Amino acid sequence: MIVATTIEDVKKYVKEWKKQGFSIGLVPTMGYLHEGHASLIKRAKSECDKVIVSDFVNPIQFGPKEDLATYPRDFDADCKLCEELGTDIVFHPEPSEMYREGFHSYVGVDVLSSELCGKSRPIHFNGVCTVVSKLFHISEADKAYFGQKDAQQLAIVKRMVRDLNFNIEIIGCPIIREEDGLAKSSRNTYLSAGERKKALVLHKALTEGEKMVRAGEKDAGKVIRAVREIIESEPVARIDYVEIVDWNELQKVDIIDGPILMAVAVFIGEKVRLIDNFIVE
Ligand code: PAF
């Protein structure tokens, strides 16, 4: 496995692979890899000749009061996992490599980015779109793999690719959960043992919401109230949002009569903000 830290290095290998007609899969990550990431790498490996995993904590997608400085990192463990899974290149650049002096170009997707997490994280999705655009160009990947846990991110990246005619296919992959239902996330490491147990309320609430929708409940308000009630029964949980939006434009719906995303963001304790969701197509 190659560990590349410069854009030039990655491009050199990509050029060679393209010459030989290999297909390329990209798995963009911010490192601290867990089974959710592993599932993306395995899927990429099964569908592409070569797999590039980017391991880069992207500074421009963090707001000034967010957890950029403390975001968990363990590059050695990431490399070990990537190697075990047959990754061809781990791309691990410094921020100064990705954002050289005089960097002034950004990519953004209107409308979808102002909803859900966009309300409390106004710059986040422009930072994501910018870095993934760069990674798409650098890797020249045929396919890129994203987890459904960040459903809004998945919808936005798909829209960007469609609107701006990127030559890449975006593959959304299912949420990977712990045995007890908690969605895997690098940020779960911030939870104390007690908080970890209490965080299960997200999955419990969403399971109830999904059951209602699948049983035919059309009143979005009713489903939202039921989900909120379960989350609010847990005193350490503080709701950022609980919403049902259409799985296209990500706009709030009152009546469920097409594909929807039900998404929640909840603070567990003072600082840890977790997201989770379900989609009914
Ligand atoms: O989902 C993430 O880990 C990040 O938002 C991504 C897509 C790697 C961009 O930095």
Side-chain angles (χ1 to χ4, degrees):
M1 185 180 78
I2 297 148
V3 176
T5 56
T6 67
I7 294 168
E8 205 189 318
D9 220 10
V10 178
K11 282 187 160 182
K12 187 183 76 192
Y13 291 107
V14 166
K15 197 170 167 194
E16 200 45 49
W17 291 345
K18 290 272 161 185
K19 243 195 254 167
Q20 296 179 46
F22 290 136
S23 61
I24 300 174
L26 170 71
V27 182
T29 82
M30 296 207 300
Y32 213 68
L33 305 181
H34 50 67
E35 282 163 49
H37 299 109
S39 74
L40 305 181
I41 300 171
K42 284 180 196 158
R43 176 93 183 259
K45 196 68 199 155
S46 72
E47 295 181 353
C48 305
D49 299 319
K50 299 285 179 188
V51 173
I52 301 178
V53 175
S54 63
D55 186 313
F56 176 62
V57 182
N58 176 34
I60 68 164
Q61 71 186 67
F62 289 78
K65 292 192 186 130
E66 293 180 10
D67 56 345
L68 172 62
T70 54
Y71 194 83
R73 291 159 167 91
D74 189 344
F75 186 59
D76 290 342
D78 292 350
C79 282
K80 192 163 170 271
L81 180 68
C82 285
E83 181 130 46
E84 277 166 20
L85 296 174
T87 303
D88 295 280
I89 294 182
V90 175
F91 179 41
H92 184 55
E94 286 295 325
S96 57
E97 173 70 4
M98 291 298 272
Y99 304 112
R100 296 199 178 151
E101 225 186 297
F103 184 91
H104 298 308
S105 307
Y106 296 87
V107 184
V109 174
D110 278 352
V111 181
L112 285 74
S113 297
S114 351
E115 302 302 326
L116 304 171
C117 290
K119 289 183 186 151
S120 57
R121 307 188 73 191
I123 60 151
H124 175 66
F125 291 110
N126 285 7
V128 170
C129 287
T130 302
V131 81
V132 298
S133 299
K134 285 173 70 71
L135 293 168
F136 291 171
H137 290 312
I138 294 164
S139 66
E140 293 185 48
D142 300 277
K143 296 183 182 187
Y145 297 80
F146 291 83
Q148 188 206 298
K149 194 186 76 67
D150 292 299
Q152 185 177 14
Q153 169 173 281
L154 174 61
I156 289 171
V157 171
K158 277 190 169 168
R159 186 61 58 91
M160 177 188 82
V161 162
R162 190 202 75 174
D163 287 354
L164 301 181
N165 309 100
F166 278 78
N167 205 10
I168 192 167
E169 189 186 344
I170 303 303
I171 313 284
C173 301
I175 300 177
I176 303 295
R177 298 182 179 280
E178 306 280 356
E179 256 171 41
D180 58 11
L182 184 69
K184 297 250 182 198
S185 164
S186 306
R187 288 190 169 101
N188 290 350
T189 77
Y190 297 151
L191 297 165
S192 68
E195 289 169 340
R196 163 75 186 68
K197 274 197 200 124
K198 299 192 167 149
L200 286 179
V201 76
L202 271 79
H203 183 54
K204 188 174 161 206
L206 282 169
T207 304
E208 181 55 31
E210 182 165 1
K211 221 191 304 167
M212 289 173 79
V213 176
R214 291 202 186 274
E217 181 58 64
K218 299 262 176 260
D219 182 344
K222 206 164 162 188
V223 181
I224 290 171
R225 278 193 297 281
V227 167
R228 288 191 78 101
E229 215 169 276
I230 296 173
I231 298 173
E232 281 163 357
S233 71
E234 175 47 70
V236 303
R238 182 166 55 85
I239 293 173
D240 181 1
Y241 65 75
V242 174
E243 285 190 28
I244 297 182
V245 297
D246 72 283
W247 182 228
N248 182 35
E249 292 289 297
L250 305 186
Q251 302 301 301
K252 277 189 193 177
V253 297
D254 294 328
I255 303 297
I256 301 170
D257 60 359
I260 57 105
L261 162 70
M262 178 157 208
V264 303
V266 176
F267 285 94
I268 300 293
E270 282 306 298
K271 285 202 194 99
V272 191
R273 181 178 175 278
L274 300 178
I275 57 171
D276 201 348
N277 67 76
F278 67 84
I279 294 168
V280 177
E281 294 277 358

